Amino acid sequence: MDGAGGIQVVGVVGLGTMGAGIVEVFARGGLTVVATEVDEVALERGRSRITGSTDRAVARGKLSPGQRDELLARITFEVGMAGLGDVDLVIEAVPEQLDLKRKIFAALDAVCKPSAILATNTSSLSVTEISVATARPNRVIGMHFFNPAPIMKLIEVVRTVVTAPEVVAEIEGLCARLGKVDVTIGDRAGFIANALLFGYFNHAVAMYEGRYATREDIDAAMRLGCGLPMGPLALMDLIGLDTAYEILDTMYRRGGRDRRHAPVPLIKQMVTAGLLGRKSGRGFYTYEKPGSPKVVADDLTPTGEAADAPAGRPVYKIGVVGSGTMAAGIIEVFARSGYDVVSVTRGTEKSARLVERLRASLDKAVMRGKLAEAARAAAVTRLTWSAELDDLADVDLVVEAVVEELSVKKALFASLDEICKPGVLLATTTSSLPVIECAMATQRPRDVVGLHFFNPAQVMGLVEVVRTIRTSDDAVDTARMLARSLGKYPVVCADRSGFVVNALLFPYLNDAVRMLEASYASADDIDYAMKLGCGYPMGPFELLDVVGLDVSLAIQRELYLELREPGFAPTPLLEHLVTAGYLGRKVGRGFRDHAR
Ligand SMILES: NC(=O)c1ccc[n+]([C@@H]2O[C@H](COP(=O)([O-])OP(=O)(O)OC[C@H]3O[C@@H](n4cnc5c(N)ncnc54)[C@H](O)[C@@H]3O)[C@@H](O)[C@H]2O)c1
């Protein structure tokens, strides 16, 4: 084996969730593969994983039957590692346990030719500790694939302090030949992606365990609120709860004993009970059969009755207070869904600007074919513009979207309490303030809820319905029914800082900043890792620049103040950027320079 492209024959040890996918990647890339397992039963299971996956690719038209047959002909299946003497590279994908991996590497060292590169697919263990189980630590490297390996583009290449530069170059060349994108990084627990993901997973499980929201709602919140391909609980089912437990446990021990990585007890209980996720047919969800991606109903699935909220109070006419981005979006959503809307701003000038904004947005929707001309005209006739809160005396629901300042919101709720008729639902769109504070500014806290829309409200399919400890059931039902009537998915959650989405999203963004601050990886590499490894629509730094660094810092501060979790403390780098006026896209500069 010499120079880039010298790797022709590869071995794979362990054909589980990851190993089987990795074999497929290599065989698709034209390499000869020796696929090994611990015994005949596991070997057969691994073989059927690979044939199942390639058959599905044929069924979807991604592979011709001929290509599949050629691909499978490049693979030989063997029990044990004795047949790996001639391979140029071997990659290990056995369970995430250090002792086991060290044993496998010692055995590989004895069997493989001296020039062979030994790679581990570990997600969190120290590649250095694994490498010293061999007599060739300079030829040991991490190749961290993402699940499902044939689909996800990213490979994290992990070099230790002794990995030879030519070994790194060889593996980088191989990644390119396989059509993958690599980021090369040092040996740190969780590398890039898992270091950012697993705190978030664990937090999501804690929310579920604490009955803060249902599994369906937690997952829907992150899919619809952040555009993620999967919610955290469904993704943990795909990864495997046993693997997830081991990764968290290792990250806790290797990563400075951050409490956020201490596995939530429920995970261990589920693993002990054999609920490992998709591979065992049951995890957070129940699947058609072991290995199947198809979720089937179980006793936790909301029944038709619970899924369709009781009707709640009738709502025909809605007041919207505020003149910013969110108010404009919300007014449009209501009017397009057939509600009469009274918009109240602080003056005719503000109303005029709002009217203009709304017209432009409706025009765009018509131009793009998303809205019929007649529907636009009808929406416009449903709108009334006012500068007086008194005009809200006869509405059925008020949504306020004024500035994110508690004193302003409290004063507004006190006024609404005097003006509005009894039985009106009063809602705040706050994303970070306690809803109960708004509720207690009125004499009718039962009627106050949070209705947290996402920006742009016309597009995003999620509404968080926040119930305080004083909110009545029928107020919540009314809010849920209303969100459904807008074609949005309502997630009901308690009145805690960040609700579901921001509480899960912002600590992850803050962790990404911390990783950059520690000079572990560049902003580009971190963004790549999340987009190509996890299918995120934007990397954390892209997202921070869009959201605004000042807004992100304010949310992160609220989370920290309320939950007192040391890991949630805003990173100094984020604070400094905000102090320096680098607030993101809106000012032309944040983590990146957008001015050019
Ligand atoms: N699951 C993921 O999403 C994911 C993603 C990236 C990396 N990883 C890493 O990949 C590795 C494997 O994880 P997985 O999820 O595929 O686990 P898995 O439990 O699905 O598969 C492990 C396989 O290893 C086999 N095995 C056990 N002992 C063996 C031995 N002595 N020799 C040969 N084979 C043996 C088992 O029979 C099993 O088929 C772990 O290090 C994990 O951290 C997992």
Side-chain angles (χ1 to χ4, degrees):
M1 180 187 62
D2 42 359
I7 297 175
Q8 298 301 342
V9 187
V10 295
V12 176
V13 181
L15 307 177
T17 308
M18 289 311 292
I22 293 170
V23 168
E24 188 180 330
V25 171
F26 285 138
R28 273 192 192 208
L31 299 170
T32 304
V33 191
V34 185
T36 71
E37 257 291 353
V38 67
D39 57 32
E40 283 294 345
V41 175
L43 191 68
E44 268 324 298
R45 211 170 34 221
R47 190 202 300 267
S48 60
R49 274 198 177 107
I50 295 164
T51 49
S53 167
T54 48
D55 286 349
R56 278 196 300 275
V58 170
R60 287 197 205 121
K62 306 248 163 175
L63 213 60
S64 71
Q67 285 170 320
R68 174 200 47 203
D69 296 345
E70 278 173 27
L71 183 161
L72 293 175
R74 287 189 208 109
I75 309 169
T76 48
F77 291 89
E78 288 180 19
V79 170
M81 290 178 274
L84 297 175
D86 283 333
V87 300
D88 305 315
L89 162 73
V90 53
I91 174 157
E92 156 287 307
V94 304
E96 188 78 346
Q97 293 150 17
L98 184 61
D99 287 348
L100 176 62
K101 292 199 191 261
R102 283 171 56 90
K103 230 182 326 169
I104 300 260
F105 268 71
L108 288 172
D109 193 31
V111 169
C112 296
K113 62 188 180 189
S115 61
I117 297 173
L118 309 183
T120 170
N121 181 48
T122 181
S123 310
S124 59
L125 296 168
S126 160
V127 179
T128 314
E129 277 184 60
I130 294 171
S131 76
V132 294
T134 74
R136 57 176 112 180
N138 60 338
R139 302 196 70 74
V140 174
I141 195 163
M143 270 185 99
H144 183 230
F145 284 76
F146 287 77
N147 190 1
I151 293 171
M152 303 314 283
K153 278 247 165 280
L154 185 78
I155 298 179
E156 289 175 325
V157 174
V158 185
R159 69 162 122 61
T160 73
V161 285
V162 293
T163 310
E166 64 271 19
V167 168
V168 176
E170 189 101 39
I171 294 301
E172 288 174 343
L174 176 66
C175 292
R177 272 165 63 201
L178 296 171
K180 300 283 186 191
V181 174
D182 65 279
V183 294
T184 301
I185 40 182
D187 185 15
R188 198 177 107 156
F191 316 125
I192 296 178
N194 285 349
L196 298 181
L197 274 181
F198 275 76
Y200 149 69
F201 286 160
N202 213 28
H203 192 178
V205 180
M207 276 185 177
Y208 174 65
E209 189 187 50
R211 294 171 190 266
Y212 178 62
T214 64
R215 61 184 184 185
E216 283 83 3
D217 278 4
I218 292 171
D219 281 345
M222 297 313 284
R223 273 189 287 110
L224 301 173
C226 304
L228 305 188
M230 291 176 95
L233 303 176
L235 182 50
M236 285 183 79
D237 271 358
L238 173 67
I239 289 170
L241 293 184
D242 48 346
T243 302
Y245 177 84
E246 296 295 343
I247 295 174
L248 276 167
D249 192 49
T250 313
M251 290 194 39
Y252 176 72
R253 284 186 279 106
R254 278 187 77 201
R257 300 194 180 256
D258 183 339
R259 259 199 341 227
R260 291 179 305 152
H261 294 138
V264 167
L266 179 64
I267 304 176
K268 181 68 182 216
Q269 289 161 25
M270 290 175 75
V271 171
T272 309
L275 311 180
L276 306 183
R278 273 192 201 183
K279 61 184 162 190
S280 69
R282 232 184 113 181
F284 289 105
Y285 296 90
T286 303
Y287 299 86
E288 200 172 32
K289 58 179 194 292
S292 162
K294 188 162 178 234
V295 173
V296 295
D298 58 22
D299 45 3
L300 292 179
T301 306
T303 61
E305 219 174 288
D308 295 322
R313 310 172 193 174
V315 174
Y316 304 106
K317 191 167 177 183
I318 303 176
V320 178
V321 187
S323 51
T325 310
M326 286 318 285
I330 293 168
I331 291 171
E332 184 179 333
V333 169
F334 286 144
R336 283 172 63 171
S337 301
Y339 292 99
D340 290 329
V341 185
V342 184
S343 155
V344 178
T345 71
R346 277 174 300 156
T348 44
E349 212 176 285
K350 295 225 180 263
S351 289
R353 239 180 290 148
L354 200 52
V355 172
E356 221 171 89
R357 200 165 177 169
L358 206 94
R359 277 191 199 284
S361 173
L362 289 171
D363 285 349
K364 208 153 93 188
V366 171
M367 239 164 56
R368 289 197 180 148
K370 306 241 154 132
L371 185 67
E373 184 58 54
R376 185 221 348 228
V380 171
T381 60
R382 291 190 196 106
L383 299 167
T384 320
W385 307 96
S386 162
E388 302 295 332
L389 284 176
D390 288 340
D391 288 332
L392 299 177
D394 66 340
V395 300
D396 307 307
L397 157 70
V398 181
V399 177
E400 73 72 20
V402 303
V403 66
E404 189 78 342
E405 252 182 63
L406 191 54
S407 57
V408 176
K409 293 202 191 266
K410 280 170 78 168
L412 175 61
F413 272 84
S415 305
L416 292 173
D417 192 25
E418 285 176 8
I419 293 164
C420 295
K421 64 185 185 189
V424 173
L425 189 67
L426 300 177
T428 169
T429 54
T430 182
S431 32
S432 59
L433 301 170
V435 178
I436 188 71
E437 295 271 5
C438 298
M440 297 313 288
T442 73
Q443 302 297 315
R444 42 176 127 179
R446 295 169 41 80
D447 299 334
V448 177
V449 293
L451 268 183
H452 187 223
F453 286 82
F454 290 75
N455 188 15
Q458 300 92 322
V459 178
M460 303 299 285
L462 182 74
V463 175
E464 285 173 322
V465 173
V466 186
R467 110 186 276 158
T468 76
I469 46 173
R470 299 285 299 264
T471 309
S472 69
D473 285 346
D474 76 317
V476 171
D477 290 339
T478 308
R480 289 173 68 189
M481 175 212 64
L482 175 86
R484 285 226 174 82
S485 74
L486 305 173
K488 313 243 180 247
Y489 184 106
V491 162
V492 178
C493 55
D495 185 20
R496 269 184 16 187
S497 184
F499 312 133
V500 176
V501 174
N502 287 352
L504 291 177
L505 177 67
F506 281 87
Y508 144 78
L509 295 174
N510 197 46
D511 284 346
V513 181
R514 191 172 293 125
M515 187 178 273
L516 179 70
E517 194 176 45
S519 301
Y520 176 66
S522 66
D524 285 351
D525 280 354
I526 297 171
D527 277 353
Y528 269 139
M530 298 318 292
K531 286 196 291 186
L532 302 177
C534 311
Y536 279 33
M538 282 189 197
F541 297 102
E542 282 172 304
L543 187 57
L544 280 160
D545 274 2
V546 169
V547 171
L549 272 56
D550 49 345
V551 174
S552 306
L553 178 61
I555 294 176
Q556 190 60 30
R557 274 197 186 129
E558 289 292 335
L559 284 170
Y560 177 58
L561 283 177
E562 183 167 300
L563 302 170
R564 305 295 163 110
E565 169 56 60
F568 287 176
T571 54
L573 178 59
L574 188 59
E575 309 231 17
H576 290 186
L577 287 164
V578 171
T579 309
Y582 295 164
L583 306 183
R585 252 173 210 280
K586 58 189 168 190
V587 300
R589 180 153 184 187
F591 283 97
R592 295 195 173 89
D593 195 345
H594 303 278
R596 282 166 293 151

